[in-house]
């Protein structure tokens, strides 16, 4: 039986393609074989076209597919799923190739029509980089729309088999172009799923610290994020939204963003919307004669602190990554989302820092673009620098009130981080200590993760951002 239902939403993906989201129709697999394939028709076409052929088709598997491609100089960077490479390790590119064609690459390469093949020069996790055919190097503009996929050799030495992955990837306008002569000092990239309500506080606050450009990778949100991003951009915050529909591909998305941002940015920060940079010394430095080391022309201590921090390393011949440790905050006794924002509402944290978040020079990353969500493999000869904790720390509002945390519990966007519901790696720092695999509020959740009372960032935000007339924050009226 064929079921016809209206599309839930449509998103612009690139200059020639869109993403349509359809309701999932549950069937009794024992009698009907389950959902087999989805066909998209314009309104009015259904009654005039035969839909019986849908029953004979098989759906595309999104577990094994090349889904995105970008030109980068004389190479192409292909984003793929299903290679089953070792996480966080650079692989041997010898057995991999890229294939370029004008027609679709079907399941496992059956019926594929490709014109040219080239060798891979680097392979890591979900990314394969290959040299370009000379014809595309000579006329890169002619490459737009060309389909790309990858293949690899498997089997033993006596009988090796080359397997071609199915692909929906093709070269488009998202490819890397010539870098701008005048770059922003500091940009930020993040990936979100249903976190529109957190964007205003996060972007307004860090823009005050000097972030000049924002890349928001939207991983299938349905919470009005497009309107939030457009509103912020219209107010001069320089925010763009990239539709990134591929499930559990955060590392690949960050690699994509690193390439994209390299055109316009000297430094790019990779951190989440519940993470806020805090400068304890700069924020509370006495304002001598109306100025301090990080005081802008407005005379407010701390303004542009983050931009100033990275600018100090821009002329370095060895430093390509700046790392900042994180303090994890708990619910701080709250039972509902803080009205004035997370920086004001959450004031109790764990004592010891956890992990770190990074800001990198995108032009100094390894060709593999290997990253572990928040830090990258650097080019040979370059290194990272750990910022002293007394000068800067990231306030990570990781364990919020239960309703907010439960939404985070539902799905993770990182490729190699186990989802909360899976009974694996329960001791990982990606999980909440003591929380199992069920989204059931633990006893005394509101009082957990509270070892140190820390109101430093709250005090600063209240002193700088409070409206003197209404007493509200600039982002408060927009909180959902």
């Amino acid at each position: 039986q064929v079921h016809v239902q209206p599309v839930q939403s449509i998103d612009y993906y690139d200059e020639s393609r869109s993403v349509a989201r359809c309701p999932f129709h549950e069937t009794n697999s024992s009698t009907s074989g389950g959902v087999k394939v989805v066909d998209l028709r314009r309104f009015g076409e259904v009654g005039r076209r035969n839909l019986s052929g849908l029953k004979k088709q098989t759906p595309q598997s999104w577990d094994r597919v090349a889904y995105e491609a970008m030109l980068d100089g004389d190479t192409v960077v292909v984003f793929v799923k299903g290679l089953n490479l070792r996480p966080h390790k650079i692989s041997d590119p010898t057995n991999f190739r890229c294939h370029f064609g004008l027609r679709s690459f079907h399941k496992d390469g059956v019926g594929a029509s490709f014109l040219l093949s080239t060798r891979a020069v680097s392979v890591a996790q979900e990314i394969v980089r290959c040299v370009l055919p000379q014809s595309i190097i000579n006329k890169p503009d002619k490459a737009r729309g060309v389909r790309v996929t990858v293949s690899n050799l498997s089997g033993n030495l006596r009988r090796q088999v080359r397997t071609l992955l199915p692909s929906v990837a093709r070269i488009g306008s998202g490819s890397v172009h010539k870098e701008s002569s005048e770059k922003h000092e500091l940009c930020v990239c993040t990936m979100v799923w249903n976190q529109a309500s957190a964007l205003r506080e996060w972007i307004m606050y860090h823009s005050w610290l000097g972030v000049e450009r924002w890349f928001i990778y939207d991983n299938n949100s349905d919470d009005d994020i497009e309107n939030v991003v457009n509103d912020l951009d219209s107010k001069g915050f320089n925010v763009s939204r990239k539709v990134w529909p591929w499930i559990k591909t955060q590392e690949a998305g960050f690699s994509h963003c690193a390439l994209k941002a390299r055109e316009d940015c000297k430094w790019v920060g990779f951190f989440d919307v519940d993470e806020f940079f805090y400068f304890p010394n700069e924020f509370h430095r006495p304002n001598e004669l109306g100025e301090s080391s990080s005081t802008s022309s407005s005379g407010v201590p701390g303004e542009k602190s983050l931009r100033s921090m990275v600018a100090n390393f821009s002329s370095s011949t060895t430093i390509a990554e700046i790392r900042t440790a994180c303090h994890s905050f708990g619910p701080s006794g709250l039972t509902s989302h803080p009205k004035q924002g997370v920086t004001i509402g959450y004031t109790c944290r764990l004592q010891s820092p956890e992990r770190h978040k990074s800001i990198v020079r995108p032009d100094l990353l390894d060709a593999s673009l290997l990253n572990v969500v928040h830090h990258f493999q650097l080019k040979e000869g370059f290194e990272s620098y750990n910022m002293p904790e007394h000068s800067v720390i990231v306030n990570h509002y990781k364990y919020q009130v239960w309703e907010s945390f439960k939404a985070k519990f539902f799905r993770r966007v990182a490729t190699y981080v186990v989802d909360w519901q899976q009974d694996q790696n329960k001791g990982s720092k990606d999980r909440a200590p003591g929380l199992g695999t069920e989204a059931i509020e633990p006893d005394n959740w509101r009082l957990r993760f509270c070892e140190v009372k820390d109101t430093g960032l709250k005090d600063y935000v209240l002193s700088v951002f409070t409206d003197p007339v209404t007493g509200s924050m600039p982002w408060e009226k927009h909180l959902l």
Side-chain angles (χ1 to χ4, degrees):
Q1 183 179 2
V2 175
H3 299 272
V4 180
Q5 293 179 290
V7 170
Q8 288 180 323
S9 65
I10 295 179
D11 252 326
Y12 172 84
Y13 183 71
D14 60 24
E15 69 276 9
S16 61
R17 293 179 294 176
S18 297
V19 176
R21 296 182 178 87
C22 301
F24 180 74
H25 183 83
E26 295 187 10
T27 61
N28 187 334
S29 59
S30 62
T31 58
S32 66
V35 172
K36 288 197 174 294
V37 71
V38 176
D39 182 67
L40 194 65
R41 304 285 176 91
R42 293 184 182 276
F43 183 79
E45 289 183 336
V46 173
R48 299 196 302 268
R49 295 176 62 180
N50 183 10
L51 299 179
S52 60
L54 288 176
K55 298 179 181 180
K56 301 177 183 179
Q57 297 181 32
T58 57
Q60 167 70 57
S61 170
W62 297 105
D63 294 330
R64 295 185 69 256
V65 65
Y67 57 88
E68 179 76 4
M70 295 179 74
L71 296 187
D72 183 18
D74 291 344
T75 66
V76 62
V77 180
V78 187
F79 299 79
V80 299
K81 291 182 71 70
L83 291 180
N84 296 321
L85 303 177
R86 295 170 62 192
H88 319 319
K89 299 289 184 182
I90 294 177
S91 300
D92 181 1
T94 306
N95 292 331
F96 292 84
R97 296 186 68 83
C98 290
H99 305 268
F100 304 80
L102 298 176
R103 288 173 48 193
S104 298
F105 296 95
H106 302 295
K107 184 178 180 182
D108 293 326
V110 176
S113 172
F114 59 87
L115 304 177
L116 299 168
S117 298
T118 61
R119 62 182 177 85
V121 293
S122 71
V123 177
Q125 299 183 159
E126 292 193 337
I127 296 175
V128 178
R129 183 191 290 267
C130 294
V131 296
L132 281 172
Q134 191 61 46
S135 57
I136 293 181
I137 294 176
N138 294 339
K139 297 181 178 180
D141 291 341
K142 300 294 185 181
R144 184 168 297 181
V146 170
R147 296 180 182 270
V148 186
T149 192
V150 301
S151 68
N152 67 305
L153 284 176
S154 58
N156 54 47
L157 292 177
R158 296 184 60 184
R159 182 177 175 79
Q160 289 190 313
V161 178
R162 180 166 295 280
T163 303
L164 198 68
L165 264 69
S167 176
V168 294
R170 55 187 182 186
I171 300 170
S173 60
S175 298
V176 181
H177 303 294
K178 185 178 179 180
E179 297 178 0
S180 304
S181 56
E182 291 295 327
K183 293 186 177 183
H184 298 300
E185 191 73 41
L186 177 60
C187 306
V188 166
C189 179
T190 197
M191 186 173 291
V192 298
W193 174 72
N194 283 355
Q195 293 172 304
S197 61
L199 283 178
R200 296 184 193 276
E201 179 182 12
W202 186 69
I203 287 177
M204 289 180 179
Y205 171 79
H206 285 100
S207 292
W208 168 265
L209 295 188
V211 176
E212 301 159 296
R213 176 80 167 88
W214 301 87
F215 299 89
I216 309 299
Y217 277 55
D218 179 9
N219 196 220
N220 296 300
S221 300
D222 57 6
D223 62 349
D224 198 37
I225 185 173
E226 184 175 10
N227 287 333
V228 172
V229 167
N230 290 342
D231 180 64
L232 285 165
D233 190 55
S234 70
K235 289 179 169 59
F237 288 99
N238 201 5
V239 189
S240 64
R241 168 178 169 258
K242 167 66 177 174
V243 175
W244 191 259
W246 322 108
I247 299 299
K248 289 193 74 68
T249 56
Q250 187 174 20
E251 289 89 334
F254 279 4
S255 296
H256 187 278
C257 188
L259 281 177
K260 186 69 176 175
R262 196 181 65 197
E263 302 175 45
D264 302 313
C265 311
K266 295 180 182 178
W267 293 89
V268 183
F270 292 87
F271 53 100
D272 299 327
V273 296
D274 58 357
E275 296 165 342
F276 290 72
F277 278 78
Y278 170 49
F279 295 81
N281 295 334
E282 295 296 333
F283 285 4
H284 304 289
R285 181 189 297 272
N287 190 9
E288 299 176 3
L289 301 178
E291 294 291 336
S292 73
S293 61
S294 292
T295 300
S296 70
S297 59
S298 65
V300 180
E303 187 176 4
K304 302 285 192 295
S305 292
L306 192 56
R307 186 184 188 279
S308 298
M309 182 187 82
V310 301
N312 288 335
F313 294 92
S314 291
S315 59
S316 171
T317 57
T318 58
I319 304 300
E321 178 184 42
I322 304 170
R323 297 184 175 186
T324 305
C326 302
H327 275 150
S328 295
F329 280 70
S332 306
L334 302 180
T335 56
S336 60
H337 185 82
K339 180 182 178 183
Q340 293 185 296
V342 297
T343 54
I344 296 174
Y346 298 114
T347 57
C348 205
R349 60 171 173 83
L350 297 177
Q351 182 169 355
S352 299
E354 289 185 327
R355 295 188 167 179
H356 64 266
K357 294 302 159 76
S358 295
I359 303 175
V360 302
R361 289 268 303 271
D363 56 333
L364 297 179
L365 301 181
D366 186 81
S368 67
L369 299 175
L370 176 70
N371 70 87
V372 187
V373 181
H374 295 104
H375 66 267
F376 282 78
Q377 183 86 10
L378 306 177
K379 284 184 177 179
E380 187 175 351
F382 292 91
E383 60 186 8
S384 61
Y385 177 80
N386 294 313
M387 293 297 298
E389 293 175 18
H390 63 81
S391 65
V392 59
I393 198 82
V394 172
N395 279 13
H396 184 186
Y397 300 103
K398 183 176 182 179
Y399 309 114
Q400 300 186 21
V401 296
W402 179 251
E403 286 304 311
S404 298
F405 185 83
K406 186 169 68 173
K408 181 179 179 181
F409 182 104
F410 182 75
R411 178 167 73 82
R412 314 300 298 277
V413 297
T415 313
Y416 302 103
V417 173
V418 176
D419 285 346
W420 294 100
Q421 302 96 319
Q422 294 181 337
D423 190 15
Q424 300 176 35
N425 297 343
K426 289 188 177 181
S428 169
K429 290 182 179 179
D430 291 304
R431 292 181 176 272
L435 183 67
T437 59
E438 300 292 331
I440 300 173
E441 182 174 0
D443 294 337
N444 297 320
W445 174 263
R446 68 184 185 88
L447 301 176
R448 293 192 177 195
F449 317 108
C450 183
E451 297 175 351
V452 177
K453 188 73 172 178
D454 185 345
T455 64
L457 185 51
K458 171 185 177 179
D459 296 339
Y460 179 76
V461 168
L462 286 173
S463 68
V464 171
F465 292 95
T466 303
D467 187 300
V469 177
T470 65
S472 64
M473 299 296 109
W475 51 79
E476 184 179 348
K477 62 182 179 180
H478 298 293
L479 289 177
L480 301 179

